């Protein structure tokens, strides 16, 4: 099997930043791009909070430029998914979806966390055109508009509260008549005059026009009554699923399935590092992911120097 100093599993801002740093350190990293090359930013439109872009940058363009930057320093990319790993001994073994296996002296995991969707027919094609999974990324675009947020946990309350800084009205759609959010988060939402709750309800359809989302159908789950509601934006706040199934229990995870890290990107296995949303359930921002990718690459380089 081919042996590599560094194998990076997954891309996105974390994996691509790790690739840039590892490649510039002459570690000749191999990057397995995964099921969503470029990560969730490839599903967004304009990114206005990534430093260095005064007038914003399109998400796919930002990721494409990061990949080109890493390739310029001889990082190697393969359009495959990682299907399994063996971290029981060094060098580690990494197997991809083409059936190829590699030996790796260090591994950087940057597989991200995928937003949970409602499963509606046109929701993904409307991402960036009225459907969003990131309030802090997209809330700014809904100034003086009407927005609906789906969810009942802390994330939903936090997102709804954040969006009220811009929107004139925010409706929270929740399947039950009680929230699972913490009491302080509930109270904050209840006290906000811009927030209104639609209890025992679910979004069953999204209407759109040439500009994007124009309305939604909300069904009362107790009565079966359906209501057509105009809206400018639909935010999903029903959680993220970290992409860790290929690890097969070899890396310590927290109660929500995110990789536990210490001292920055270190996992419970020496020589295996994690960065980006796969180990960050709190910030989930492109810039924090990129920063953790930098940390992971530097830690991998120093680990190799010491071993």
């Amino acid at each position: 099997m081919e042996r590599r100093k560094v194998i990076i599993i997954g891309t996105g801002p974390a994996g691509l930043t790790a690739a840039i740093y590892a490649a510039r350190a002459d570690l000749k990293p191999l990057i397995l791009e995964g099921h969503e090359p470029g990560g969730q930013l490839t599903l967004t439109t304009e990114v206005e909070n990534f430093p260095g872009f005064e007038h914003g940058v399109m998400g796919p363009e930002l990721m494409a430029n990061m990949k080109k930057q890493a390739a310029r320093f001889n990082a190697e990319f393969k359009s495959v998914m990682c299907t399994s790993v063996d971290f029981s001994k060094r060098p580690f073994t990494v197997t991809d979806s083409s059936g190829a296996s590699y030996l790796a002296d260090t591994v950087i995991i940057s597989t991200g966390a995928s937003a949970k969707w409602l499963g509606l027919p046109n929701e993904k094609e409307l991402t960036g055109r009225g459907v969003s999974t990131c309030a802090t990324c997209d809330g700014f675009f809904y100034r003086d508009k009407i927005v609906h947020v789906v969810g009942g946990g802390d994330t939903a309350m936090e997102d709804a509260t954040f969006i009220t800084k811009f929107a004139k009205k925010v409706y929270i759609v929740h399947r039950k008549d009680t929230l699972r959010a913490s009491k302080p988060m509930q109270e904050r939402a209840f006290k906000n005059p811009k927030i209104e709750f639609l209890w025992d309800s679910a979004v069953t359809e999204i209407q759109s026009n040439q500009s994007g989302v124009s309305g939604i159908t909300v069904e009362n789950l107790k009565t079966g009554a359906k209501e057509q509601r105009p809206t400018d934006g639909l935010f999903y706040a029903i959680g993220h699923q970290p992409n860790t199934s290929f690890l097969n229990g070899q890396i310590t995870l927290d109660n929500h399935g995110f990789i536990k890290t210490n001292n920055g990107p270190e996992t419970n296995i020496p020589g295996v590092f994690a960065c980006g949303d796969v180990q960050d359930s709190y910030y989930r921002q492109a810039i924090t992911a990129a920063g953790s990718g930098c940390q992971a690459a530097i830690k991998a380089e120093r680990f190799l120097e010491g071993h």
Side-chain angles (χ1 to χ4, degrees), residues 2 26 30 40 47 50 54 59 61 78-79 81 105 108 114 157 186 191 195 220 236 251-252 268 282 295 305:
E2 182 182 354
D26 201 28
L30 172 66
Q40 292 190 68
V47 178
F50 198 90
E54 180 186 358
E61 179 187 358
K78 287 194 68 177
S79 299
M81 290 177 58
D105 294 318
I108 295 174
S114 299
M157 300 308 109
Q186 290 188 41
K191 290 178 180 178
I195 294 177
N220 186 293
Y236 289 3
I251 295 291
T252 302
N268 60 298
Y282 187 80
Q295 291 179 328
E305 289 173 354

Side-chain angles (χ1 to χ4, degrees), residues 108-271:
I108 295 174
I109 303 167
S110 55
T111 46
S114 299
K116 295 179 181 177
W117 299 84
L118 295 179
L120 302 179
N122 56 343
E123 60 187 1
K124 292 194 176 180
E125 68 184 58
L126 288 169
T127 301
R129 299 177 55 236
V131 174
S132 174
T133 59
C134 181
T136 52
C137 306
D138 300 329
F140 174 81
F141 299 110
Y142 294 88
R143 190 176 296 278
D144 299 323
K145 296 183 181 295
I146 296 173
V147 169
H148 286 69
V149 175
V150 179
D154 278 355
T155 299
M157 300 308 109
E158 188 172 6
D159 285 1
T161 302
F162 176 81
I163 296 169
T164 60
K165 295 179 180 179
F166 311 102
K168 64 180 178 182
K169 190 69 177 181
V170 177
Y171 296 92
I172 297 177
V173 185
H174 186 43
R175 298 181 64 87
K176 299 180 180 180
D177 59 3
T178 57
L179 300 171
R180 62 180 185 278
S182 62
K183 290 297 182 183
M185 293 301 295
Q186 290 188 41
E187 291 173 5
R188 189 180 304 173
F190 288 144
K191 290 178 180 178
N192 193 313
K194 286 188 176 182
I195 294 177
E196 187 174 324
F197 288 83
L198 303 177
W199 301 106
D200 301 309
S201 299
V203 177
T204 58
E205 188 180 343
I206 306 173
Q207 290 86 41
S208 63
N209 53 32
Q210 290 183 341
S211 300
V213 171
S214 59
I216 56 174
T217 300
V218 176
E219 179 180 352
N220 186 293
L221 300 177
K222 286 187 174 179
T223 66
K226 292 186 177 181
E227 178 187 7
Q228 303 291 323
R229 300 182 60 87
T231 194
D232 300 297
L234 179 63
F235 283 78
Y236 289 3
I238 53 178
H240 286 72
Q241 181 64 44
N243 301 312
T244 55
S245 58
F246 68 96
L247 296 173
N248 199 26
Q250 298 176 77
I251 295 291
T252 302
L253 310 178
D254 67 15
N255 293 334
H256 301 287
F258 291 85
I259 295 176
K260 279 188 174 183
T261 53
N262 298 294
N263 300 318
E266 297 176 7
T267 70
N268 60 298
I269 297 180

